[in-house]
Amino acid sequence: MSPPGTTPSLGQPMDRVDGLLKVTGQARYAGEYQELGLLYASVVSSTIASGRIVSIDTSAAMQVPGVVAVLDHTNRPHIASYDEDYTDADSAEGSPFRPFYNDRVLYSGQPLALVVADTLELARYAGSLVRIEYQVDGHETNLTAVKETAHTAPAETPKPRGDFQAGFASAAVTMDAHYTTPNEHHNPMEPHASTVLYRDDDCLEIHDKTQGPQNCQDYLHKVFGLGKDKIRIFAAFVGGAFGSGLRPQYQLPLAVMAALHLKRSVRVTLTRQQMFTFGYRPNTLQRLRLGASADGKLVAVGHDVIGQTSRFEDFTEHVVEWSGMLYQCDNVQLTYKLAPLDVYTPLDMRAPGAASGMIGLECAMDELACAAGIDPVQLRVVNFAERNGNEDKPYSSKELRACYEQGAERFGWSKRNPEPRSMREGRQLVGWGMAGGVWEAMQMKASAKASIDSDGKLTVSSATTDIGTGTYTVMTQIAAEAAGVMPQNVTFVLGDSSLPTAPLQGGSFTVSSVGTAVQQACHALRAKLLDAVRMANPQYAVVDIKDVGFGDGYLHIDDQRFSYADIVRDSSHDVLDVQIDCEPDEKREGYATATHSAVFVEVRVDEDLGSVQVNRVVSAVAAGRVVNPKMARSQILGGVVWGISQALQEESQTDHNLGRVMNHSLAEYHIPVNADIGDIDVVFVEENDSIVNDLGSKGVGEIGIVGVAAAIANAIFHATGKRVREFPITLDKVL
């Protein structure tokens, strides 16, 4: 029951509550916290891909005035855990990378020394004077060269179902093609940095670029043997991450190492070039085999993938699973193998696995549509899956048909001439392509605390982060509606390891997980407010909460209303507060949960130059309840831009002779600029889901990128008649 005049917050396009701080420069990031006497450290990186350190000569560096110390594997402080295995919340299977562990060089760009000085400029200059002599071993960084030796990944791939070989052999229409996707590096605007503020008795206050402050706290606790009460991690603002902050990166243990060694506060900031010396989206080699009946019904789906990993860890992601769940098929065979290389371990990157694997699947579906003479949208509708075949479970909700329908209508798909090279404007060939998208709708355990003071101000907290997604804002909206207060009277606190437990921010599950915890905490706070009213007003001692209204900062019973501020003041407490621990509801267990999308793209291809321009995109998304359509649209826009980048430009290019990324700067690592982006239209398809979580929200952070690159590739084929299966699709490949 809501009283008249209550303004619901959910579903409203509210502006960012942190927007003013960001645009006025008041938001401070990990590398911006100052302290008197703060030292600055610069990382010296390896120049070889494999071998041993014979000697490190730091004498010239130490003679530079203002240099305080140079640390390396020979003089670092003793770290007991380096003799044991330790993990973090996003660790891969194997032995994690230990900076300064021993004399082994495992990959090019590995941190080998840390120069600590009074200023960053001095530290970097002194770092250039460190001389390292190596014993160089042979290395291999080319996935294609070692694909035959790949081993089955330790991650559990869905078991085969039916008889793929027989289904494929008997199919009326078949396609068998290979696709490759490159390595990509995250390159968020804010580089990775850690500012370790040293306090007495080895207590550390650390500002870190991370997607999980409690994960970093747990990691440092395990590595350095410090009590968790001595480590507090802050991440109030994060300038983009895309997965790069899921694991603690090496600047964090190096900064802590230096701070503990010197008993001083230390900052380590990685250069843009060093942002290419840790995790990335891994290269994949994919083979897709699809078989269908004459009317387009799939009778066989085979998806085989080889991905790369490091020699010390097996990094796995869900690359092939989507091919077993997006479409209805009884004969499915999925394989996923890994090839170890002399590289750093890959890392989750926006829509990990799906962004790569769906390129193969959705390009193959387009090729099958052409072979069968069926419209690409119709082929997908014909093969619509009511259940997730991998789990054999029905979906909690799935408005994918509506995505196809509404996206196609908005785009004008019915006007498409299916014949390749049939549409043009002058020297520009025009192509229309489409693809589907899917991402799992997950929920994790999370906790939240809600408190209200005698001014009626609500404070809600949880140890999550905001990596630019709008967490501050949507949690404010969820709390405002759940507690019955105006959004301007809500403060949401995050980015602090001492707050109630929260999962890593990733996987599009923050709203589902933390948001549900916030909602439940605010509902519990309402019950506490009612209890206070019952105590003070005996006539309402037995009133049922279902008969009470909460809104605009007031509790309503019959024709009486009590302001929250008055209730707190009359309760003889400074604040009323409550903390709850929230777990996914058991009712989820009988269902598969996922977000879906349909992406429609128009490209213009210059017939003489082979250059491709994405002229317009329509992305129709079914993601359950959209808490803030403005933030959600922003997320989809960002995902589409990245999909354009993935299709046409983005690639970390390795010189395999050196085993080193060559284009390790934003000048040479090509990503789109404003001039590359045409019109992007986002359609949120209505989808009601009471099973996925109490909010009915599925998350939108990942789904925006999924399917975009495939839709562009399919549009390029429609424009030119040429299939390019090696990504990115650069003009030399089109020509």
Side-chain angles (χ1 to χ4, degrees):
M1 172 181 173
S2 293
T6 297
T7 306
S9 296
L10 298 190
Q12 301 302 308
M14 190 170 118
D15 289 346
R16 287 178 181 267
V17 299
D18 54 330
L20 182 65
L21 293 174
K22 286 183 172 176
V23 299
T24 57
Q26 295 176 74
R28 285 200 290 171
Y29 296 83
E32 295 183 323
Y33 286 85
Q34 294 298 332
E35 183 172 271
L36 196 63
L38 178 69
L39 297 172
Y40 298 80
S42 178
V43 176
V44 179
S45 308
S46 74
T47 57
I48 66 167
S50 180
R52 290 187 180 277
I53 301 164
V54 175
S55 67
I56 296 184
D57 182 358
T58 62
S59 56
M62 285 300 297
Q63 286 169 15
V64 175
V67 171
V68 178
V70 182
L71 294 180
D72 57 57
H73 75 280
T74 66
N75 67 344
R76 63 161 169 81
H78 174 68
I79 301 172
S81 71
Y82 268 30
D83 301 321
E84 307 160 11
D85 277 342
Y86 59 88
T87 59
D88 61 81
D90 200 58
S91 60
E93 194 158 308
S95 298
F97 174 67
R98 300 165 169 85
F100 298 179
Y101 178 53
N102 57 19
D103 63 355
R104 288 286 303 150
V105 177
L106 304 173
Y107 69 99
S108 181
Q110 177 178 321
L112 299 184
L114 187 74
V115 181
V116 188
D118 291 335
T119 69
L120 178 60
E121 292 78 11
L122 281 172
R124 290 194 64 180
Y125 168 67
S128 71
L129 303 178
V130 174
R131 295 289 172 256
I132 303 176
E133 185 184 340
Y134 302 99
Q135 172 202 309
V136 182
D137 295 340
H139 68 265
E140 184 58 77
T141 54
N142 187 349
L143 176 62
T144 306
V146 297
K147 63 182 182 181
E148 302 303 330
T149 63
H151 62 267
T152 301
E156 202 170 295
T157 302
K159 293 180 174 61
R161 59 181 186 265
D163 188 335
F164 165 76
Q165 299 295 348
F168 189 72
S170 63
V173 186
T174 60
M175 65 77 51
D176 184 346
H178 291 79
Y179 305 89
T180 66
T181 65
N183 291 327
E184 299 170 13
H185 279 81
H186 300 75
N187 278 308
M189 191 178 294
E190 177 200 12
H192 278 264
S194 301
T195 302
V196 178
L197 304 179
Y198 184 87
R199 303 294 179 243
D200 291 339
D201 195 28
D202 287 351
C203 288
L204 308 176
E205 292 177 8
I206 304 171
H207 297 275
D208 188 58
K209 184 201 174 81
T210 178
Q211 290 170 252
Q214 290 172 330
N215 185 35
C216 289
Q217 181 192 43
D218 192 49
Y219 166 84
L220 294 175
H221 162 66
K222 289 174 180 172
V223 171
F224 290 95
L226 294 171
K228 287 190 178 181
D229 59 329
K230 289 180 175 287
I231 309 164
R232 190 171 177 186
I233 310 284
F234 298 95
F237 295 97
V238 180
F242 314 120
S244 67
L246 290 170
R247 297 188 75 169
Q249 299 305 347
Y250 63 73
Q251 90 286 338
L252 176 62
L254 291 182
V256 170
M257 220 180 271
L260 293 175
H261 177 66
L262 297 168
K263 311 292 185 188
R264 297 273 302 273
S265 297
V266 178
R267 171 180 299 152
V268 179
T269 303
L270 299 186
T271 65
R272 180 57 60 182
Q273 288 74 23
Q274 287 167 340
M275 293 291 288
F276 288 78
T277 61
F278 53 85
Y280 50 89
R281 193 193 302 281
N283 189 3
T284 66
L285 308 176
Q286 305 185 37
R287 183 187 184 190
L288 263 295
R289 286 173 289 172
L290 302 179
S293 58
D295 61 358
K297 285 266 180 67
L298 285 167
V299 295
V301 172
H303 193 173
D304 305 302
V305 170
I306 299 172
Q308 75 174 52
T309 190
S310 68
R311 295 213 188 273
F312 48 93
E313 287 181 297
D314 273 348
F315 171 80
T316 60
E317 54 183 3
H318 298 297
V319 185
V320 296
E321 279 81 346
W322 321 100
S323 297
M325 63 187 270
L326 188 54
Y327 303 113
Q328 168 57 39
C329 184
D330 294 330
N331 303 302
V332 177
Q333 179 179 293
L334 311 171
T335 69
Y336 175 45
K337 293 182 175 181
L338 293 175
L341 295 168
D342 296 298
V343 295
Y344 194 82
T345 310
L347 180 62
D348 289 342
M349 186 170 181
R350 197 171 196 168
S356 306
M358 288 290 288
I359 284 178
L361 176 64
E362 289 303 280
C363 287
M365 285 292 284
D366 197 72
E367 297 201 39
L368 185 69
C370 290
I374 297 173
D375 178 83
V377 177
Q378 184 57 30
L379 179 70
R380 287 163 172 82
V381 172
V382 163
N383 289 291
F384 182 86
E386 299 287 354
R387 301 172 71 84
N388 179 328
N390 293 339
E391 302 174 11
D392 194 24
K393 290 179 179 179
Y395 284 97
S396 59
S397 61
K398 186 179 179 182
E399 293 295 341
L400 180 54
R401 283 196 191 96
C403 292
Y404 296 143
E405 187 180 318
Q406 293 178 32
E409 185 178 347
R410 188 76 69 96
F411 186 81
W413 185 260
S414 60
K415 300 185 183 72
R416 178 182 185 262
N417 182 335
E419 192 63 35
R421 299 183 70 89
S422 62
M423 298 166 65
R424 66 165 61 236
E425 282 190 16
R427 301 296 298 168
Q428 302 278 314
L429 296 169
V430 178
W432 287 7
M434 65 82 57
V438 59
W439 181 256
E440 52 197 326
M442 297 174 281
Q443 183 181 353
M444 306 294 177
K445 291 180 183 178
S447 303
K449 183 178 182 179
S451 65
I452 195 155
D453 65 18
S454 56
D455 292 324
K457 302 291 187 186
L458 175 68
T459 301
V460 185
S461 60
S462 184
T464 185
T465 56
D466 188 336
I467 58 174
T469 50
T471 309
Y472 276 113
T473 308
V474 295
M475 296 304 163
T476 298
Q477 290 178 267
I478 293 166
E481 179 150 306
V485 300
M486 300 301 288
Q488 58 266 34
N489 290 326
V490 179
T491 300
F492 186 69
V493 183
L494 54 69
D496 181 343
S497 61
S498 70
L499 297 174
T501 307
L504 293 165
Q505 179 166 58
S508 293
F509 52 66
T510 298
V511 171
S512 305
S513 308
V514 179
T516 303
V518 166
Q519 183 187 53
Q520 290 184 10
C522 290
H523 284 164
L525 186 63
R526 292 199 317 196
K528 205 159 192 175
L529 286 163
L530 177 57
D531 284 343
V533 170
R534 287 171 176 151
M535 289 284 289
N537 300 272
Q539 69 271 35
Y540 298 127
V542 294
V543 69
D544 194 297
I545 197 166
K546 293 196 296 292
D547 300 321
V548 179
F550 299 88
D552 295 347
Y554 288 87
L555 184 154
H556 300 249
I557 304 176
D558 299 331
D559 57 352
Q560 294 291 311
R561 67 180 200 155
F562 304 85
S563 82
Y564 292 174
D566 289 341
I567 295 170
V568 176
R569 270 195 297 271
D570 295 344
S571 72
S572 74
H573 293 284
D574 293 332
V575 297
L576 292 177
D577 60 25
V578 63
Q579 181 170 326
I580 66 99
D581 302 319
C582 172
E583 296 196 19
D585 198 306
E586 288 181 2
K587 65 187 175 186
R588 283 176 56 103
E589 292 173 10
Y591 296 87
T593 55
T595 39
H596 292 89
S597 67
V599 185
F600 296 82
V601 170
E602 177 182 291
V603 300
R604 306 285 176 94
V605 182
D606 189 292
E607 204 170 7
D608 300 315
L609 302 177
S611 57
V612 179
Q613 176 76 37
V614 177
N615 195 46
R616 61 192 181 97
V617 178
V618 173
S619 179
V621 180
R625 185 183 199 176
V626 177
V627 175
N628 182 319
K630 186 175 184 178
M631 304 286 114
R633 179 175 178 272
S634 248
Q635 286 292 293
I636 303 301
L637 289 179
V640 169
V641 169
W642 200 332
I644 294 169
S645 181
Q646 192 178 36
L648 302 177
Q649 296 180 322
E650 196 165 345
E651 177 180 15
S652 302
Q653 296 179 323
T654 300
D655 180 330
H656 296 302
N657 289 323
L658 296 172
R660 185 185 311 160
V661 176
M662 296 183 289
N663 56 334
H664 59 331
S665 70
L666 290 186
E668 295 171 279
Y669 183 85
H670 292 165
I671 53 176
V673 295
N674 284 346
D676 295 312
I677 305 301
D679 183 60
I680 302 173
D681 191 2
V682 179
V683 180
F684 285 114
V685 172
E686 186 173 342
E687 183 175 61
N688 298 307
D689 195 324
S690 60
I691 293 163
V692 68
N693 52 62
D694 289 345
L695 286 166
S697 171
K698 293 181 173 182
V700 292
E702 323 288 338
I703 191 67
I705 188 177
V706 182
V708 177
I712 292 169
N714 297 337
I716 290 170
F717 169 75
H718 181 238
T720 64
K722 180 169 184 179
R723 286 280 176 198
V724 182
R725 301 185 181 96
E726 181 187 350
F727 287 75
I729 303 174
T730 46
L731 59 85
D732 55 309
K733 295 167 189 168
V734 176
L735 286 172

